[in-house]
Amino acid sequence: MKIKKNNKSIGLLFQQALDRKLSSDISKLHRDSLRYAYNQFMIFLGPEGREMSIKKLKTSTIEEFLQRYNSSPTSYMNKRRELSSLFNAATRLIDESLMTVKKTEVQKIKPTLHLAYEKDQLKPVLNFLKARQTNLYRCCLMTYGCLLRPHEEIRLLTKKHFKINNTEIHLDGSENKGGKIRVVYVPDYVRHELDPVLDRIKRDDNIFSLINEPFNDDYFSKQWSREKKILLSHGLIYPKQTLYSFRHTAAIDVFRRTKDVYMVQKMMGHSSVLITMKYLRSLGEFNMDELKSAAPVL
């Protein structure tokens, strides 16, 4: 006897939904996030919860799960978005439209200003990190020198990503946020730090873990969190300066040298120049009226 598709258990339905999402054209980062959300939600439901029908799943149950990620609005909303993606895929499999996740609480994410480093701050901060945390130092150096994103791009780099005597890094569409092939230049001061590492690892080895598997998603976040407290106590950084501030600082430096928003867009890997314009505006470089007047016209 055939089981009707709308009588499938939550466990089976979500497994099929996950498989469908993983087989679609999404980034590795998104795949990993969905796998993690799926595993955590299945553990939360337990054996009995996994056996019940998706129609019996209450909004209050999902909200109870999401409260586990209530440390910040960003963490909460990221988990809500990942669960919603799986839930939507699951409901399409049974051709049902359910509002269970959409009824859960929405938390407003406040924009974070990653304050750029001042010119006389940059080297002291990097030197401090170099003496204490080699991997974090190299990550910060590449965030600034190569304008890559620390967690989803730099953390996952392997030897095979480096081309032409380590002067370029090549990322395919699934390996960067922009979703397109991206090639970035590796400055000499970055190569000086990385060449000895790249010389001694295998093609598929990660440049930080030195083995085939990279460190976990939170690796650099946790390292930075520890070092930031000391950096603040020494007066080397300001409270709103972050790991991402190295990337923001580089963007400003590029713009100041070139006065070319499109060059900044290309080097940052932004999908739209509007993102770059807002990016620079948030750092106080110029207002939106100035940006509009500088935009090309027909």
Side-chain angles (χ1 to χ4, degrees):
M1 180 179 175
K2 272 191 173 181
I3 299 174
K4 293 182 180 180
K5 61 182 180 181
N6 57 354
N7 286 336
K8 291 178 181 177
S9 67
I10 290 177
L12 177 59
L13 204 52
F14 268 68
Q15 178 62 66
Q16 292 175 343
L18 177 65
D19 291 343
R20 175 170 289 193
K21 294 296 292 184
L22 295 181
S23 65
S24 63
D25 186 21
I26 58 176
S27 69
K28 183 181 183 302
L29 180 67
H30 193 193
R31 285 191 180 93
D32 291 344
S33 297
L34 290 177
R35 282 195 192 96
Y36 183 77
Y38 165 80
N39 289 331
Q40 294 304 305
F41 190 54
M42 290 299 104
I43 291 170
F44 168 78
L45 288 176
E48 290 186 11
R50 293 194 291 270
E51 287 301 316
M52 69 179 179
S53 166
I54 195 169
K55 290 185 178 180
K56 294 183 179 180
L57 185 60
K58 296 180 179 179
T59 299
S60 59
T61 302
I62 296 177
E63 285 190 328
E64 184 182 347
F65 169 73
L66 291 175
Q67 287 304 312
R68 297 182 170 200
Y69 305 92
N70 205 25
S71 58
S72 72
T74 300
S75 176
Y76 176 93
M77 290 303 292
N78 283 345
K79 198 58 59 183
R80 183 180 184 271
R81 184 176 61 252
E82 291 155 6
L83 191 62
S84 180
S85 179
L86 290 172
F87 196 92
N88 290 340
T91 54
R92 282 195 294 272
L93 288 170
I94 59 171
D95 198 21
E96 293 277 357
S97 179
L98 304 178
M99 300 294 289
T100 317
V101 177
K102 291 182 179 179
K103 289 180 180 177
T104 58
E105 178 189 359
V106 175
Q107 295 189 12
K108 187 174 181 180
I109 300 175
K110 294 181 179 178
T112 302
L113 178 63
H114 301 281
L115 185 65
Y117 293 103
E118 296 172 3
K119 191 174 181 179
D120 59 354
Q121 280 185 295
L122 201 57
K123 286 187 178 180
V125 171
L126 288 171
N127 288 336
F128 175 88
L129 295 174
K130 184 176 184 178
R132 292 177 54 85
Q133 295 286 352
T134 303
N135 277 345
L136 180 60
Y137 161 70
R138 288 172 178 158
C139 174
C140 293
L141 197 67
M142 296 179 73
T143 305
Y144 175 77
C146 304
L147 289 90
L148 291 174
R149 298 171 179 90
H151 307 298
E152 61 265 43
E153 292 173 350
I154 293 175
R155 178 181 61 86
L156 300 174
L157 288 175
T158 64
K159 182 174 182 175
K160 67 184 176 186
H161 289 110
F162 291 80
K163 312 290 184 182
I164 313 177
N165 295 322
N166 304 336
T167 60
E168 294 179 0
I169 294 172
H170 292 212
L171 300 175
D172 66 34
S174 66
E175 295 174 321
N176 70 93
K177 193 174 180 181
K180 297 179 181 179
I181 293 174
R182 188 175 175 200
V183 178
V184 300
Y185 171 67
V186 182
D188 288 343
Y189 57 84
V190 175
R191 284 183 60 202
H192 177 74
E193 292 293 332
L194 295 183
D195 279 349
V197 177
L198 294 169
D199 284 345
R200 71 174 189 266
I201 62 175
K202 298 176 183 177
R203 183 176 185 272
D204 292 319
D205 286 346
N206 179 268
I207 66 170
F208 299 104
S209 67
L210 308 181
I211 57 175
N212 192 259
E213 289 296 318
F215 288 120
N216 61 59
D217 295 358
D218 298 328
Y219 178 70
F220 286 125
S221 295
K222 290 178 179 178
Q223 282 201 342
W224 176 259
S225 181
R226 287 193 295 265
E227 296 305 316
K228 183 175 182 178
K229 294 176 183 177
I230 305 172
L231 286 163
L232 284 168
S233 68
H234 285 32
L236 291 172
I237 65 172
Y238 302 126
K240 290 186 177 180
Q241 290 176 324
T242 67
L243 179 54
Y244 265 89
S245 291
F246 289 100
R247 187 168 137 89
H248 285 235
T249 304
I252 290 178
D253 288 350
V254 171
F255 179 77
R256 283 176 174 161
R257 289 197 307 273
T258 65
K259 302 299 181 185
D260 187 342
V261 175
Y262 293 96
M263 177 63 74
V264 180
Q265 177 199 359
K266 185 176 181 179
M267 295 184 71
M268 296 292 283
H270 288 156
S271 58
S272 166
V273 73
L274 293 177
I275 297 173
T276 309
M277 292 163 82
K278 291 178 181 179
Y279 199 102
L280 293 174
R281 180 189 63 171
S282 71
L283 294 169
E285 283 302 289
F286 34 63
N287 59 45
M288 188 53 75
D289 288 336
E290 289 173 324
L291 289 169
K292 286 179 180 178
S293 66
V297 295
L298 291 176

